Amino acid sequence: MEEIIEERHTLAVLVDNEAGVLARVIGLFSGRGYNIESLTVAAVDQAAHMSRITVVTSGTPMVIQQIKAQLERLVPVHKVVDLTLQAPSVEREMALIKVACAGEKRVEALRLSDAFRARVIDTTHTSFVFEVTGAPDKLDAFIGLMRPLGLVDVSRTGVVAIARGPEAM
Amino acid sequence: MSGREMTGAAIVIKALKDQGVDTIFGYPGGAVLPIYDEIFKQEGIRHILVRHEQGAVHAAEGYARSTGKPGVVLVTSGPGATNAVTGLLDALMDSIPLVCLTGQVPTSLIGNDAFQEADTVGITRPCTKHNWLVQSADNLARTVHEAFYVATNGRPGPVVIDIPKDVQFATGTYIGPGQAVHKTYKPQVKAPTDAIAQAVAMMGAAKKPVLYTGGGVINAGPKASQLLRQLVEMTNFPITSTLMGLGAYPASGDNWLGMLGMHGTYEANNAMHDADLIVCIGARFDDRVTGRVDAFAPDAKKIHIDIDASSINKNVFVDLPVVGDCAHVLEDMIRVWRSKSVQTDKAALETWWRQVDTWRARKCLAYKKSDKTIKPQYAIERLHQLTKDRDTYITTEVGQHQMWAAQHFHFDEPNHWMTSGGLGTMGYGLPAAVGVQLAHPDALVIDIAGEASIQMMTQEMSTAIQFRLPLKVFILNNEYMGMVRQWQDLLHGGRYSQSYSEALPDFVKLAEAYGAKGIRVSDPADLDEAILEMINSPVPVIFDCLVDKKENCYPMIPSGAAHNEMILGDDEDGAEVTEEGKMLV
């Protein structure tokens, strides 16, 4: 048997902003057993009724090719771009992270947040909410550091991505 | 605005007429009454009242498959829509163009668990090519036109339009088909010229080639079948086909190897296994065709011609993908072949054909004849012999009888063979025959059935009687769910769990109860005369052919095995099913 190598790919999918389009995309992934590591969606052009879905998935090269072909044949899909193949591209994710702590731990949390360029967007005498933006592994690292300091809640947006350079997708 | 104001229900009927629809298969109910009222008031479209919504969808499939036109279905909300689901998935798997209109509760009640409410677009999303919930009468005409476009363009498939009852009553503006242009769905029908050139070069260089064709050739229209025949003549390549593609190349043609796959012929499967080039035209390397994927055609380069890019490299990695419509691609290939005066390696092909002939000499479809009991293969053979000079259309149910029909009834023309290939839906054949007979009133339409399958949709006999459709139901009655039993023989120590057809009806009396004719035969000596009686009856017939109860369907590639590991009928102990194979279906 040949070795099966799974790859992580970030796909940008431009779709008609119509009812049920997200369900179609998600149903495709769940129905065919594909992985979703992260998925984000929002309208990007209100006038043209277009939304952009960014999906991070993993699979063998044959599966990745299948995922793209399956997405492309959905009727409301305008375009699918594999940002991982069409390198270079940039990826960002944002997280809101709540840490409840006091004393030394509170000082340490603030100090670390500074190192990660996290912003404090809410504070009480016993807690902080940090806003932190970056590549997913940076967020993972920050969350990992907050855990022993009193991490109580995490909300992440999932990855958004865009190709470098002057061209549109 | 160039449009006209009318009710949503009237818009639906007008749009269907403008799409050239002459027949609708349906069943009324509360949420579609306004559309039924419009049907009542007009004449151009005939409505075929089925007895179960699944029957409506299969009938529309039969109509579509035998005419090349999209089939149209109209059902009510809730159970009407859910009953249609099996048929919709059947059409999706076999790429049959259908437009299914479903009624829905009024928009104000959607989400309230109203009477006969179902989330129809939610339920049908994975079993249609696309679907729509129409929220305003103004969007109705455009949606209907778009639906026909999506159903029939690219890889064909079923679509659903869910129409709330208030939208059917509301007034909206009608627009004609020309004014509705689709903004995103534009499938590629012409393949790139370099792919065509490369395919032709690979074919010219092949020493052991085989053409492997499928339902895509049928879907690409009669011209594609003509072009395929030309290509075979030009290249002298051997040709095999999937279950869905039978008839595209004539079974009486010299280069025909028979069907391939699990119940395909010895020559077709061995040719696939030993080939150095496989040209797949409108087929999809389905698991019933490939057998064990890692042992599939190990030495062959593979060219895959398909209009659906997602079919390519799904199951089997191919060397040359050619995305495009079969008819366009075949036309371009033939043109390039001629303009470059490509020559095949004649000496190599001759050696290859000699090899093929040794496989053919194995006579894999032979069976032990009997003068005591009717062998099911013999029944199909006689049915073919006695009907081949007529305009005959065959539909089937699913099981052993279906495979015997595919093996022993030989198809020379496309669109004459209607069967449930992908989904394997028992109950498909009788309603499909209703659709075929409506489209071809003077043809001989026969549903080759099993005694178990036929009971899943028997009620459609009533439809056949109502619309005076003289279709024939030819039951190979062995009192078993034969294919289930065959697998229980192979995989489960012959423990026939629930596969005996207990408490069967008297099919002759059943026919008579519907107002049809019943014929029963058990003696091989009476078979021909009885078949002729069936053919010559101007009314629907149920033919109860009592066949050998123990016969199994061979040849067979057991699940998890390779093409060159077939079980042949006279060599039943030859192959073993592996543990891995037992997991497969």
Side-chain angles (χ1 to χ4, degrees):
Chain A
M1 288 294 286
E2 51 194 299
E3 202 183 343
I4 296 164
I5 302 157
E6 296 235 330
E7 297 175 354
R8 177 183 178 279
H9 282 242
T10 304
L11 309 178
V13 188
L14 213 52
V15 299
D16 276 334
N17 186 10
E18 63 177 34
V21 65
L22 187 59
R24 274 178 223 287
V25 170
I26 292 172
L28 171 66
F29 276 79
S30 63
R32 292 185 183 267
Y34 304 143
N35 298 316
I36 298 181
E37 289 185 6
S38 155
L39 185 139
T40 67
V41 57
V44 287
D45 186 340
Q46 299 285 1
H49 299 287
M50 301 255 263
S51 289
R52 180 162 167 148
I53 297 172
T54 308
V55 54
V56 181
T57 185
S58 59
T60 62
M62 207 156 146
V63 167
I64 300 285
Q65 194 192 351
Q66 261 298 299
I67 292 172
K68 287 184 275 185
Q70 293 287 353
L71 284 169
E72 269 163 0
R73 75 174 185 154
L74 293 179
V75 169
V77 168
H78 287 255
K79 200 169 183 189
V80 180
V81 171
D82 186 337
L83 292 169
T84 305
L85 277 188
Q86 291 206 344
S89 62
V90 285
E91 291 189 3
R92 285 293 178 271
E93 185 176 3
M94 189 179 93
L96 301 179
I97 293 156
K98 186 178 286 183
V99 182
C101 51
E104 272 305 306
K105 286 186 173 175
R106 201 169 152 84
V107 178
E108 178 68 0
L110 260 187
R111 203 179 59 75
L112 287 169
S113 73
D114 199 38
F116 277 77
R117 293 194 177 81
R119 293 205 300 147
V120 177
I121 57 171
D122 177 70
T123 183
T124 67
H125 289 302
T126 55
S127 70
F128 289 119
V129 174
F130 295 113
E131 173 199 312
V132 58
T133 304
D137 53 350
K138 174 181 161 182
L139 270 54
D140 291 343
F142 184 68
I143 291 164
L145 288 169
M146 289 301 115
R147 191 155 283 133
L149 300 179
L151 180 78
V152 290
D153 217 357
V154 176
S155 176
R156 296 175 70 151
T157 58
V159 171
V160 291
I162 204 158
R164 289 180 189 271
E167 286 83 24
M169 79 173 267
Chain B
M1 290 292 285
S2 60
R4 285 202 285 135
E5 299 290 308
M6 57 183 93
T7 66
I11 287 174
V12 168
I13 296 302
K14 170 95 175 106
L16 293 179
K17 282 186 177 169
D18 284 354
Q19 288 289 342
V21 173
D22 55 17
T23 308
I24 299 180
F25 301 90
Y27 203 100
V32 277
L33 284 179
I35 297 175
Y36 271 88
D37 202 35
E38 287 301 321
I39 288 174
F40 188 81
K41 292 180 203 159
Q42 58 85 51
E43 281 190 339
I45 296 177
R46 67 184 160 163
H47 178 273
I48 307 304
L49 178 67
V50 295
R51 300 300 184 268
H52 185 290
E53 289 88 349
Q54 185 185 338
V57 186
H58 293 324
E61 287 185 272
Y63 178 92
R65 190 87 184 158
S66 66
T67 60
K69 295 195 284 184
V72 181
V73 176
L74 175 60
V75 297
T76 194
S77 63
T82 57
N83 279 347
V85 162
T86 299
L88 292 169
L89 186 55
D90 191 272
L92 184 71
M93 296 282 272
D94 286 345
S95 309
I96 311 294
L98 297 184
V99 175
C100 176
L101 307 162
T102 57
Q104 182 54 278
V105 301
T107 45
S108 58
L109 288 182
I110 288 178
N112 285 19
D113 297 330
F115 177 64
Q116 291 195 329
E117 179 182 359
D119 174 9
T120 300
V121 288
I123 290 168
T124 62
R125 197 175 289 127
C127 50
T128 53
K129 187 172 169 188
H130 195 57
N131 61 16
W132 297 263
L133 170 65
V134 183
Q135 310 247 30
S136 144
D138 282 325
N139 291 337
L140 206 39
R142 191 170 42 77
T143 306
V144 174
H145 298 316
E146 200 176 308
F148 275 86
Y149 172 82
V150 171
T152 55
N153 281 275
R155 179 175 176 178
V159 298
V160 162
I161 311 173
D162 199 26
I163 312 172
K165 194 171 183 182
D166 56 326
V167 174
Q168 298 169 38
F169 276 123
T171 302
T173 306
Y174 182 78
I175 60 164
Q179 292 160 266
V181 178
H182 206 277
K183 54 183 176 177
T184 53
Y185 190 67
K186 286 162 186 149
Q188 173 184 337
V189 292
K190 295 283 278 185
T193 49
D194 56 337
I196 301 280
Q198 212 180 326
V200 168
M202 286 165 80
M203 287 166 71
K207 294 186 189 306
K208 295 192 283 182
V210 61
L211 301 173
Y212 147 49
T213 66
V217 180
I218 314 264
N219 279 334
K223 193 180 161 206
S225 294
Q226 287 307 321
L227 291 163
L228 178 67
R229 292 163 191 217
Q230 274 182 41
L231 185 76
V232 173
E233 207 172 304
M234 266 170 43
T235 58
N236 192 30
F237 286 1
I239 177 168
T240 179
S241 162
T242 67
L243 181 72
M244 297 308 293
L246 297 177
Y249 180 81
S252 57
D254 291 339
N255 294 42
W256 178 240
L257 300 181
M259 180 173 77
L260 85 166
M262 185 171 273
H263 290 289
T265 65
Y266 188 68
E267 50 269 39
N269 286 330
N270 275 296
M272 289 291 282
H273 186 270
D274 285 8
D276 72 342
L277 177 71
I278 290 172
V279 186
C280 169
I281 309 171
R284 58 186 175 91
F285 295 94
D286 162 85
D287 57 84
R288 280 294 177 278
V289 158
T290 59
R292 202 171 84 224
V293 172
D294 58 12
F296 172 73
D299 304 321
K301 295 259 185 229
K302 297 167 193 88
I303 300 172
H304 189 175
I305 301 164
D306 205 304
I307 194 152
D308 179 3
S310 74
S311 282
I312 289 170
N313 289 339
K314 180 169 62 182
N315 303 326
V316 168
F317 180 79
V318 298
D319 301 274
L320 177 63
V322 183
V323 178
D325 174 79
C326 288
H328 283 91
V329 173
L330 285 167
E331 190 173 24
D332 288 349
M333 278 167 60
I334 290 169
R335 205 191 54 245
V336 171
W337 186 283
R338 288 206 174 118
S339 69
K340 291 190 177 165
S341 310
V342 177
Q343 295 296 318
T344 53
D345 184 341
K346 296 236 162 40
L349 273 185
E350 205 170 299
T351 312
W352 179 228
W353 270 113
R354 268 202 301 278
Q355 174 63 60
V356 169
D357 285 338
T358 63
W359 290 323
R360 278 176 165 169
R362 187 66 179 76
K363 301 230 172 292
C364 68
L365 294 177
Y367 56 91
K368 288 193 193 83
K369 300 240 172 16
S370 165
D371 54 9
K372 300 272 189 312
T373 60
I374 300 176
K375 291 285 181 173
Q377 302 94 323
Y378 178 71
I380 302 287
E381 258 177 31
R382 294 315 302 157
L383 188 66
H384 176 240
Q385 282 303 317
L386 296 169
T387 60
K388 68 178 182 182
D389 296 327
R390 295 165 183 261
D391 186 21
T392 306
Y393 291 79
I394 299 293
T395 70
T396 75
E397 310 291 332
V398 168
Q400 285 182 325
H401 67 273
Q402 177 191 28
M403 292 299 115
W404 280 317
Q407 292 172 339
H408 297 276
F409 201 104
H410 305 291
F411 296 90
D412 280 350
E413 293 302 328
N415 304 98
H416 283 63
W417 163 247
M418 270 56 60
T419 194
S420 171
L423 194 61
T425 309
M426 293 169 74
Y428 169 88
L430 173 54
V434 165
V436 176
Q437 187 81 76
L438 274 157
H440 309 275
D442 300 324
L444 175 62
V445 181
I446 305 172
D447 168 30
I448 296 177
E451 86 290 336
S453 278
I454 192 63
Q455 293 189 82
M456 288 211 178
M457 281 277 131
T458 322
Q459 78 285 344
E460 298 307 328
M461 276 309 286
S462 178
T463 309
I465 296 290
Q466 181 183 343
F467 294 93
R468 300 177 196 282
L469 306 172
L471 56 84
K472 320 298 179 201
V473 179
F474 190 84
I475 302 173
L476 297 180
N477 184 346
N478 63 358
E479 296 180 20
Y480 280 99
M481 294 160 213
M483 196 58 93
V484 172
R485 188 202 57 195
Q486 180 163 344
W487 281 58
Q488 288 170 335
D489 276 331
L490 202 62
L491 299 175
H492 299 282
R495 292 178 296 278
Y496 298 157
S497 181
Q498 305 296 320
S499 55
Y500 180 67
S501 291
E502 194 83 47
L504 283 173
D506 178 329
F507 285 109
V508 171
K509 284 187 182 157
L510 184 67
E512 288 163 4
Y514 278 114
K517 184 184 176 82
I519 299 174
R520 178 174 298 121
V521 185
S522 56
D523 187 338
D526 301 335
L527 183 61
D528 276 20
E529 200 181 329
I531 289 175
L532 286 172
E533 186 189 351
M534 173 185 85
I535 295 169
N536 292 322
S537 297
V539 295
V541 175
I542 296 181
F543 190 109
D544 189 15
C545 188
L546 305 180
V547 297
D548 188 329
K549 297 192 201 321
K550 295 286 178 198
E551 195 73 22
N552 276 343
C553 185
Y554 296 106
M556 179 178 189
I557 303 174
S559 24
H563 274 171
N564 60 350
E565 301 171 334
M566 300 191 79
I567 310 178
L568 293 158
D570 49 8
D571 178 29
E572 293 183 26
D573 309 318
E576 289 275 322
V577 178
T578 60
E579 282 305 309
E580 204 180 336
K582 284 182 188 173
M583 299 293 185
L584 303 171
V585 289

